[in-house]
Amino acid sequence: MKMEFEGAKISGVHLVVPKNEISFESEIDQYTFSAAQSRKLKSVMGYDRRRVVEPGVVSSDLVISGFKHLIINENLDLETIDALVLVTQTPDYLMPGTSFIVHNALPFKKDIVCMDLNQGCSGFINGMIASLSLLAQRNINRVALVNVDVLSRLVAFGDRNSRPIIGDAASITIVDSNESSSSISCVSKVDGSGWDALMIPAGGLKMRPSDETAESKEDESGNVRSLNDLVMKGDAVFNFVMKEVPLLIEDICLDSQVSKGDIDYFLFHQPNPFMLKKIANKLEIPLAKMPHKLVSEFGNSSGVSIPAVLCTSFERQEFDVGKKMCLAGFGVGLSWGAMLMELEKLEFLSLNQF
């Protein structure tokens, strides 16, 4: 699905990361592999450190911390926000939505749209599509797009396939009406036949958590996990990304009549450095234009990864002159999407630790 949006811009992006840092080396002994095998994986995949929440910390905790930081340090007035779009796979509760928890904790007005979206790796792209669609309404001029996931709490200790890459984070992106801004092009795609390539089998209504679902078992690859934990079919996800993402980028550039050479930066979801280098090679994009080391320092924070790259790889002043950006998210669903837009004159590009 191709979409075009006019009269809107990103005004600021803020990232919240946990203070708690875990190194890959510190967890080697909990896997059913030799230390040598694990270190080889670290070298190939680019694993090193990641940020994860302390026990008991939930998604709303990170989000509330981020808004409080913006109120104090960036003079963000929550009364100016007309819609709150919160994208997460790790809600505080099955019901109500986490956006209502955040709304209750902070001085938002009551005349506001609160919307929760269950999205993962493409969550920033789809959250932006929802935010830009809301801005088309006459009475909505400012949207706070929140992406947050604390997936580390749902990854098994013995899962060498997923645990070394999973990090936790939240981001707040302020999207404003702005008639002088250039148009924003979007493409969003889904292949529901791959719904089980990335999933948590138990916990919803299809399979309620129980003693049986909590029982850990070792799979054929030596990963130890239960049905309550995240499971990823790594080969299926890799093949999907290598096939679909380069085509997606070529498609959106062709449709928008933009050369890849005219794009200043490619900000992609961060599965791991290995996969991003493969994508860059296939697209013939210089790695200097594609930040790819987020997982090595913070971990894969799912839908937060694109704003996380922005906040950790750039300074706000770099956007005093506009930059042409290509954003892309891909994964859970299976879903994939991309966006071409200009980023310029950001009011803030910041980070706080929780």
Side-chain angles (χ1 to χ4, degrees):
M1 177 66 68
K2 297 178 181 179
M3 290 160 277
E4 197 85 13
F5 297 96
E6 305 282 349
K9 64 166 289 187
I10 289 177
S11 297
V13 184
H14 182 70
L15 175 67
V16 185
V17 294
K19 294 178 182 177
N20 185 33
E21 183 178 84
I22 294 179
S23 70
F24 180 85
E25 292 284 337
S26 70
E27 296 187 320
I28 282 180
D29 292 341
Q30 67 197 37
Y31 304 125
T32 58
F33 300 88
S34 70
Q37 287 176 306
S38 292
R39 289 192 177 97
K40 183 178 179 179
L41 180 71
K42 172 187 175 182
S43 175
V44 171
M45 303 304 288
Y47 302 155
D48 191 5
R49 295 161 286 148
R50 58 197 178 93
R51 299 291 186 94
V52 302
V53 296
E54 298 285 358
V57 173
V58 293
S59 291
S60 65
D61 293 326
L62 297 183
V63 177
I64 292 165
S65 171
F67 274 116
K68 287 182 176 178
H69 177 94
L70 292 177
I71 292 168
I72 295 169
N73 296 281
E74 304 295 344
N75 297 314
L76 178 65
D77 181 2
L78 297 191
E79 284 284 332
T80 66
I81 293 174
D82 303 308
L84 175 63
V85 177
L86 193 147
V87 184
T88 187
Q89 301 166 114
T90 56
D92 290 11
Y93 304 98
L94 283 177
M95 59 184 294
T98 307
S99 66
F100 302 116
I101 307 301
V102 173
H103 183 277
N104 173 67
L106 296 162
F108 288 99
K109 60 189 178 185
K110 292 184 178 180
D111 187 21
I112 186 174
V113 174
C114 273
M115 180 184 298
D116 289 67
L117 302 178
N118 184 341
Q119 295 279 332
C121 309
S122 300
F124 184 75
I125 300 299
N126 287 320
M128 279 294 297
I129 289 171
S131 300
L132 293 167
S133 299
L134 286 166
L135 284 172
Q137 298 301 310
R138 179 168 53 87
N139 292 327
I140 297 180
N141 296 300
R142 169 167 280 191
V143 178
L145 168 60
V146 172
N147 291 85
V148 58
D149 272 312
V150 290
L151 279 167
S152 71
R153 296 187 59 185
L154 297 170
V155 181
F157 284 98
D159 188 348
R160 192 189 74 157
N161 192 37
S162 299
R163 189 170 181 81
I165 63 172
I166 296 298
D168 303 321
S171 64
I172 299 167
T173 304
I174 302 299
V175 192
D176 285 325
S177 294
N178 189 301
E179 293 304 323
S180 63
S181 296
S182 56
S183 63
I184 299 173
S185 300
C186 303
V187 177
S188 181
K189 297 189 177 186
V190 171
D191 180 3
S193 69
W195 65 272
D196 60 347
L198 276 159
M199 69 174 301
I200 299 171
L205 298 185
K206 189 78 171 179
M207 188 185 301
R208 301 300 296 140
S210 65
D211 291 342
E212 287 76 19
T213 65
E215 182 182 350
S216 294
K217 298 179 181 179
E218 185 174 335
D219 68 13
E220 64 277 4
S221 299
N223 297 293
V224 181
R225 65 171 79 91
S226 76
L227 292 172
N228 294 342
D229 300 317
L230 175 72
V231 58
M232 174 174 63
K233 297 178 180 178
D235 290 346
V237 173
F238 179 83
N239 292 334
F240 149 69
V241 170
M242 288 301 108
K243 176 185 176 184
E244 299 293 354
V245 174
L247 292 174
L248 174 76
I249 303 308
E250 299 284 4
D251 184 35
I252 194 171
C253 287
L254 180 64
D255 188 66
S256 303
Q257 297 183 327
V258 173
S259 165
K260 286 181 291 183
D262 293 332
I263 296 171
D264 294 299
Y265 292 103
F266 295 81
L267 303 188
F268 287 6
H269 167 60
Q270 304 282 302
N272 57 63
F274 174 79
M275 193 179 293
L276 288 172
K277 289 175 184 177
K278 291 288 187 182
I279 295 173
N281 288 338
K282 200 162 186 179
L283 285 168
E284 300 181 333
I285 296 169
L287 272 178
K289 284 190 172 186
M290 183 188 287
H292 59 283
K293 297 181 179 179
L294 184 78
V295 169
S296 301
E297 299 179 6
F298 294 95
N300 172 353
S301 50
S302 191
V304 187
S305 65
I306 293 174
V309 171
L310 257 177
C311 292
T312 58
S313 302
F314 300 91
E315 299 292 335
R316 183 188 62 79
Q317 293 78 8
E318 294 181 63
F319 298 100
D320 288 347
V321 177
K323 298 288 192 297
K324 190 74 172 178
M325 314 293 278
C326 178
L327 316 179
F330 37 87
V332 178
L334 292 165
S335 64
W336 60 112
M339 183 172 289
L340 284 177
M341 67 184 309
E342 191 96 1
L343 274 184
E344 60 178 340
K345 297 178 180 176
L346 297 177
E347 295 174 12
F348 57 86
L349 189 63
S350 52
L351 178 152
N352 80 281
Q353 300 187 62
F354 178 81

